[in-house]
Amino acid sequence: MEELILPFLMFVTLLALMLTGYPIGVILGGVAILFGFIGMAFDLFQMIEFFNLVPRVWYFAENLQLIAVPLLILMGVLLERSKLAQDLLLALGLLLRGVPGGAALSVTIMGVLFAAITGVVGASVIVMTLIALPPMLRAGYHPPLALGTIAASATLGIMIPPSILLVFLCEMLQISYGYLFAAAIYPGLCLAGLYLLYIGIYAFLNPSAAPKLSLEQFLEAQPGEQAIQAPSRTKIALLVARGIVPTAILIALVMGSVLCGIFTVTESAAVGVLGALLLAAIRRRMNFSGLRESLTRASMTIGMVAVLFIGATSFAYVFRMLGGEEAILALINIGELDSWGILIFVIGLIFLMGLFFDVLEILLIAMPIFGPIVAPLDFIVHIAQADVVYWFAILVAITLQTSFLTPPMGLSLFYIKGVAPEGISMKQISVGIIPFVLLQLGCVAVVMWQPGLVLSLPKLLFESQPF
């Protein structure tokens, strides 16, 4: 009986302590140690097993693949400094200004392109809110549409490589980085396509909520530093090239090099950092003071991620030692679920966890528990057993994206509220994200129905044969 009760109490204790406001990494590690001692009283845990928590302190620094995570974080900070996002959004806006909903479509496409450079979602949400929301509001966009578009598009960094979450997924499930990166591309583009389709239909049905702009109206809506005084065709072409060409080069360096097998994920992240640094220097937006500030900001973020990784993996280890995995299997057996039932149960549970936990917390806690349960299951005859884990990983990634948007713990909502202009309410933000959360859940259903959306590209790239 203790094997069933203690894991449940461990999870409830974690939820309760999260309300105290203490750093979540410290809470996770503290709960792990506390219930380790409680488990000793019931002879479910041994003192010597605490030594298994120590290697988790060094694992984050020693693992050559996980070194990609701090590099990607640093690259995101440097790109923010170089103001590539502003130039990219301006270029896309100039190209799509005459299309109904053109500004919202530009934000979505920018979310795809920016995600293909860096997978730091939090920074993307803040940057896109600062540079895209004021012009959209000045252009007459309905606030919930503008807010929902920015929140959803910025979180595409979870799905599109090189994503920090995909790196952690590979490490938790012990699967190939390049194969999973390739597997994520089609579902990520499918999700972005659903966003674009929704925005296009919304703009067609409600033209006043997503207006089509003339060149003059578009320029008037831009921030002062981006205003174009002489909108000649030559200058517009140069501005478009200035925003798109550096982005294309960085995408080729970071994501293309991994998919082509030129670099490992860590090497491509290092090349991306060098490219972002050179880009900032060429644009004269980086000096020694700015470099020190960027390194300080990146170090603080990396430290937070490292503490979270140590705490979450320790929590997952103690949870499993106390019988957490057996408790979940017992719950599954009570429902007499088949393979599809188990998959839907796990995905649904991860979605519910997203209401209370951060994305990285869910990933580090849930994957060591659910991965071994789902990977051996038999689903459809044309999915090879070895590919089930990649299919499952992509389903988890899409589901985790909703946790950035769903209250009460949807971090994107708080990021946007923190930097949005006065007058923007949390209600407007929450209303705006509802259609996009539904689209994300629809994408989960599509990927479940069509696993070839996940597996066709990696098989083509890595096995030289069509799926």
Side-chain angles (χ1 to χ4, degrees):
M1 181 62 70
E2 292 85 359
E3 291 90 341
L4 299 178
I5 295 177
L6 283 182
F8 174 76
L9 290 177
M10 189 176 181
F11 194 78
V12 171
T13 302
L14 175 62
L15 286 176
L17 290 177
M18 285 179 61
L19 301 177
T20 63
Y22 281 97
I24 184 63
V26 176
I27 291 175
L28 285 163
V31 171
I33 294 173
L34 172 63
F35 274 83
F37 282 112
I38 294 174
M40 289 172 58
F42 293 96
D43 201 26
L44 297 174
F45 200 84
Q46 303 298 322
M47 177 63 76
I48 196 172
E49 290 184 279
F50 280 116
F51 285 97
N52 291 328
L53 304 183
V54 177
R56 284 157 171 75
V57 178
W58 305 109
Y59 184 78
F60 187 84
E62 290 181 337
N63 188 290
L64 294 178
Q65 303 296 339
L66 284 183
I67 293 175
V69 172
L71 289 172
L72 289 171
I73 291 172
L74 177 58
M75 182 170 62
V77 173
L78 293 173
L79 286 174
E80 181 184 348
R81 185 85 185 183
S82 71
K83 297 187 177 180
L84 176 65
Q86 289 92 323
D87 295 339
L88 177 59
L89 184 62
L90 179 62
L92 294 172
L94 286 169
L95 292 175
L96 297 174
R97 65 185 183 274
V99 179
L105 296 174
S106 299
V107 168
T108 304
I109 296 172
M110 175 189 160
V112 175
L113 297 176
F114 210 60
I117 302 173
T118 175
V120 185
V121 173
S124 297
V125 173
I126 293 172
V127 169
M128 290 177 67
T129 302
L130 289 172
I131 67 175
L133 183 59
M136 292 177 77
L137 295 179
R138 283 195 291 269
Y141 271 72
H142 186 46
L145 174 64
L147 293 163
T149 299
I150 292 170
S153 300
T155 57
L156 286 170
I158 286 183
M159 278 299 302
I160 298 176
S163 163
I164 289 176
L165 270 296
L166 292 181
V167 173
F168 276 115
L169 264 173
C170 291
E171 193 58 38
M172 294 295 100
L173 297 175
Q174 293 296 296
I175 54 180
S176 165
Y177 287 78
Y179 204 92
L180 185 64
F181 277 19
I185 291 177
Y186 284 167
L189 294 178
C190 175
L191 187 57
L194 290 175
Y195 293 169
L196 293 172
L197 181 63
Y198 165 73
I199 293 168
I201 294 174
Y202 189 100
F204 178 77
L205 297 177
N206 302 279
S208 61
K212 178 171 64 174
L213 304 178
S214 66
L215 178 60
E216 291 72 20
Q217 290 172 323
F218 173 79
L219 298 178
E220 289 174 2
Q222 300 306 303
E225 66 178 62
Q226 287 188 322
I228 307 170
Q229 301 300 327
S232 65
R233 290 186 177 181
T234 300
K235 189 165 187 177
I236 291 174
L238 289 174
L239 287 167
V240 171
R242 184 185 180 190
I244 294 178
V245 172
T247 304
I249 293 173
L250 282 174
I251 290 174
L253 286 174
V254 178
M255 184 171 68
S257 60
V258 175
L259 296 180
C260 294
I262 300 174
F263 296 136
T264 66
V265 62
T266 304
E267 292 168 343
S268 71
V271 172
V273 169
L274 178 61
L277 189 59
L278 290 175
L279 182 63
I282 291 171
R283 295 182 172 212
R284 299 180 181 179
R285 289 168 176 169
M286 179 64 70
N287 50 31
F288 285 109
S289 175
L291 179 60
R292 183 174 61 183
E293 180 187 345
S294 299
L295 290 172
T296 300
R297 288 180 55 197
S299 298
M300 293 176 64
T301 304
I302 293 164
M304 180 189 68
V305 171
V307 171
L308 181 57
F309 178 87
I310 295 166
T313 53
S314 299
F315 179 94
Y317 173 77
V318 175
F319 184 82
R320 294 183 70 183
M321 291 299 101
L322 296 182
E325 190 172 318
E326 289 77 8
I328 293 173
L329 288 172
L331 185 61
I332 291 172
N333 291 332
I334 290 174
E336 298 182 352
L337 301 177
D338 60 5
S339 296
W340 283 99
I342 294 172
L343 179 64
I344 294 172
F345 170 79
V346 169
I347 295 298
L349 189 57
I350 290 174
F351 174 77
L352 293 177
M353 289 176 68
L355 302 178
F356 307 101
F357 292 94
D358 177 49
V359 172
L360 193 53
E361 298 159 17
I362 300 170
L363 189 66
L364 297 175
I365 294 171
M367 286 305 96
I369 299 169
F370 295 139
I373 294 175
V374 175
L377 298 178
D378 183 22
F379 289 94
I380 312 174
V381 292
H382 62 270
I383 298 182
Q385 189 62 56
D387 290 332
V388 169
V389 66
Y390 293 96
W391 180 46
F392 172 62
I394 297 302
L395 289 171
V396 169
I398 303 172
T399 307
L400 283 174
Q401 190 173 343
T402 65
S403 65
F404 265 107
L405 304 178
T406 49
M409 283 294 292
L411 291 182
S412 290
L413 312 185
F414 296 103
Y415 288 146
I416 291 176
K417 178 60 179 172
V419 297
E422 291 185 10
I424 296 298
S425 66
M426 186 61 76
K427 179 180 178 181
Q428 289 176 311
I429 301 173
S430 300
V431 170
I433 59 95
I434 291 174
F436 294 95
V437 171
L438 295 176
L439 290 173
Q440 289 172 351
L441 295 177
C443 189
V444 172
V446 170
V447 172
M448 277 191 182
W449 173 49
Q450 291 292 333
L453 197 63
V454 172
L455 303 174
S456 56
L457 183 59
K459 285 186 174 295
L460 179 64
L461 291 177
F462 294 100
E463 297 181 16
S464 300
Q465 61 182 15
F467 178 62

